Amino acid sequence: MLRSGGPGTSTPLRNGSLLPARALAYAWTLMALLALLAWLVTVAQARDMGVEPGTMGMGLPLFLALWLVMMAAMMLPSVAPVAITWVRGIRRRSAGAARAARIAQFMGGYLLVWGLFGLLVYAALGATGDLVDEHPGAGRWIGAGAFALAGLQQLGPLKDICLRHCRSPMGQLVRYAGFRPWARDFRVGVHHGLFCVGCCWGLMLILVPLGVMNIAAMAGVAAVIFIEKLWGRGPYVATAVGAVFLALAVLVLFDPFTDWLLPGLTHSGSEMEMGRMR
């Protein structure tokens, strides 16, 4: 890689970023602190809610607000390479209110995509919750289907395309620089968000059987996303995870002792007893 030439230049450094090492360390620290704050909010909310089928009594506005906080907690570390460098470019080329507006457009575009995906998740939780309430045995089939779809997505061509996009931030930044100026930052956020959803929707899908407020499951998914995107052997990890999901799909379907894999699709004993008494 080339070193930075002179003042105002932005050629790549040895660390693979457009940022000097000191600025890069500061930016990563800020991203980590934001992710930590989002995790603290998510954990505090999950402690009060527990894990159960359906939307857990949440209305759509509350769910979307919590969903976006969850996405910040899970996705910020893995999107840092693109986000940090793009925002740094905004800071170099603008100031004051214009700078704040451009950063807000970028983050707003990215979060808009995940918010729209959250609508689909909410609909899926509502549908599966109603189905499990009426037919408790359906939870096992829904769980098997979710794991199977997630496994196929991990092994499919769309995953590979989107993962290559997310793993090459420099190439994407060059491409984004060619976007027309009108709402460029918003469109960059949307574009990158779409690739992130395309890369991770299967991993998010398993939160339906594992429980959307299952902190251990969220942490595991966040770790897989981080490794897939930022580790050199990330694509191999994606393939291995896909194979595990397919194995779990078969396991939950035929092994009657796998309810521990389906906390988001099975009612606790006390809840089922209350249902019988109604």
Side-chain angles (χ1 to χ4, degrees):
M1 305 294 288
L2 298 176
R3 292 184 181 275
S4 180
T9 61
S10 57
T11 51
L13 303 174
R14 288 189 180 276
N15 57 22
S17 168
L18 294 176
L19 302 181
R22 183 175 179 179
L24 186 65
Y26 171 79
W28 269 99
T29 300
L30 179 60
M31 293 287 278
L33 290 174
L34 290 174
L36 177 60
L37 177 61
W39 273 112
L40 291 175
V41 173
T42 302
V43 170
Q45 186 67 32
R47 185 181 297 121
D48 295 333
M49 298 179 63
V51 177
E52 59 183 68
T55 60
M56 295 161 288
M58 287 188 288
L60 181 58
L62 175 59
F63 175 84
L64 286 179
L66 183 56
W67 174 259
L68 291 178
V69 173
M70 288 168 53
M71 291 306 99
M74 298 171 68
M75 300 301 298
L76 274 179
S78 63
V79 302
V82 170
I84 287 173
T85 312
W86 186 259
V87 170
R88 181 70 173 184
I90 292 174
R91 290 174 63 85
R92 284 199 305 266
R93 294 175 176 83
S94 57
R99 174 192 294 174
R102 290 189 61 189
I103 294 175
Q105 284 185 52
F106 172 72
M107 297 304 299
Y110 184 83
L111 291 176
L112 174 64
V113 175
W114 278 110
L116 293 175
F117 184 74
L119 292 176
L120 298 177
V121 174
Y122 186 81
L125 290 173
T128 56
D130 291 342
L131 187 58
V132 170
D133 286 342
E134 296 178 8
H135 308 283
R140 191 169 299 279
W141 291 91
I142 297 171
F147 281 117
L149 279 176
L152 292 174
Q153 194 269 340
Q154 286 288 112
L155 301 174
L158 179 62
K159 174 75 175 191
D160 183 61
I161 293 171
C162 294
L163 189 57
R164 279 191 279 114
H165 169 97
C166 295
R167 287 173 57 82
S168 58
M170 296 302 299
Q172 300 315 314
L173 289 168
V174 171
R175 179 178 181 180
Y176 292 153
F179 279 20
R180 293 180 180 178
W182 183 83
R184 174 190 291 168
D185 302 296
F186 178 79
R187 288 184 291 123
V188 169
V190 169
H191 188 270
H192 195 59
L194 287 172
F195 273 97
C196 280
V197 170
C199 182
C200 303
W201 70 261
L203 291 168
M204 297 300 175
L205 181 63
I206 68 166
L207 293 179
V208 172
L210 293 178
V212 73
M213 295 306 297
N214 186 331
I215 295 299
M218 280 190 280
V221 168
V224 170
I225 292 171
F226 184 84
I227 292 171
E228 284 181 354
K229 290 187 177 183
L230 300 184
W231 190 36
R233 299 184 180 273
Y236 298 104
V237 174
T239 299
V241 170
V244 170
F245 286 165
L246 292 178
L248 290 177
V250 175
L251 186 64
V252 299
L253 195 58
F254 295 105
D255 189 340
F257 301 103
T258 53
D259 284 351
W260 61 275
L261 285 170
L262 307 172
L265 292 171
T266 55
H267 291 285
S268 67
S270 60
E271 289 173 330
M272 293 183 67
E273 187 65 29
M274 289 177 63
R276 294 191 190 101
M277 294 172 62
R278 289 173 183 171

